Each structure stands twice: as structure tokens, then as C-alpha cells.
Amino acid sequence: MRNHGGMFDALQLIEDLQAAVQRGDRERVEAMVSDRMIWVMPLKDNARGKVQWIEASLGVTWNWFRVSVHREVDLGQTRIVESWIKQSREPVGDEDSSAPVIAEGVVVDVWTEEDGAWRLVSRHPQRTT
């Protein structure tokens, strides 16, 4: 487990989190996400947090993720990380089921050091596709 306090590697943390989501490792995902998490979506009534993000993330079948970190702001025990994430998942519900759903966009994450580990406390995705 590379998620320990002190050393902060944004790309490694995000890749570890995305890999845990992809393999459906609820225990690992829950450990990496703060109970204080805010999941910001472009919706009017947007009271979403850790439980909603985990359920949404683990509620679909992910094929792959690609992450590249663009910028990082070091605020001591808090880091703001801007990444570009491209991902592929299987369709759900009334989506066209003829091909995987591919999306990409900017994601702004806020990580904080809690109890000796870096945890995701806020995620702000902005899809471009």
C-alpha cells in the first residue's frame, strides 16, 4: 500500500484509486476516500459525498482509465491536483449498448492527509466528451 502520509505522489494515488474502482475493491476505495468527501457534479441540487461517489463508481463495469496529472498545488497537508482522465466503461440503463462509453475530461481532486494517509476529500469532474 503506497497511500501513506508524508510522501505525496498524485499520479500514483489517482492511479491506485482508479485501479481499485476498476477491480471493484470497495474496501480499498473506502479507505482512500475521506468521510468528508464532496463529489461536485454540474447539477443544481448537488448534495453528493463519499457514499454516492463510491456507489456510482462501483456501479458500472470499467474497462480502462488513463490519467495524466497537469498541475498540483501543495498546501501542506492538502494538495489540489488537476488531472486529465480518459476512461472507458460498459453502457448502463438506456445508453446505447453497441459499444463502450468513452469519456474524458479535467478532474480537480483535493487530497488531504488524515490519520497518516492521503485521502480524497473532494472530486470535481468536468467532462469534455
Side-chain angles (χ1 to χ4, degrees):
M1 185 185 313
R2 296 184 181 116
N3 182 20
H4 51 81
M7 180 75 159
F8 183 84
D9 182 335
L11 182 60
Q12 188 66 58
L13 275 171
I14 296 168
E15 286 180 340
D16 285 353
L17 179 61
Q18 298 302 120
V21 165
Q22 186 175 358
R23 68 178 180 270
D25 185 346
R26 181 178 297 271
E27 186 175 314
R28 179 75 176 129
V29 172
E30 287 180 356
M32 292 186 74
V33 176
S34 172
D35 290 340
R36 301 180 296 155
M37 185 202 196
I38 298 169
W39 178 31
V40 179
M41 295 292 287
L43 303 169
K44 184 179 178 190
D45 296 315
N46 188 36
R48 297 173 178 221
K50 177 179 182 171
V51 171
Q52 292 84 3
W53 185 81
I54 290 174
E55 292 309 315
S57 297
L58 297 182
V60 297
T61 301
W62 296 99
N63 300 313
W64 50 262
F65 293 93
R66 292 191 191 107
V67 178
S68 58
V69 173
H70 286 222
R71 295 186 289 182
E72 182 180 324
V73 178
D74 181 346
L75 300 172
Q77 290 182 303
T78 301
R79 302 289 198 287
I80 301 169
V81 180
E82 179 191 71
S83 303
W84 184 264
I85 298 182
K86 186 172 184 178
Q87 58 197 17
S88 169
R89 66 171 172 78
E90 292 304 308
V92 294
D94 59 357
E95 290 177 320
D96 178 5
S97 62
S98 64
V101 176
I102 296 176
E104 59 186 320
V106 172
V107 176
V108 177
D109 287 334
V110 178
W111 293 84
T112 189
E113 200 171 3
E114 292 181 348
D115 303 320
W118 288 100
R119 291 192 173 78
L120 182 64
V121 75
S122 178
R123 176 159 276 194
H124 306 250
Q126 301 168 39
R127 279 179 56 164
T128 58
T129 61

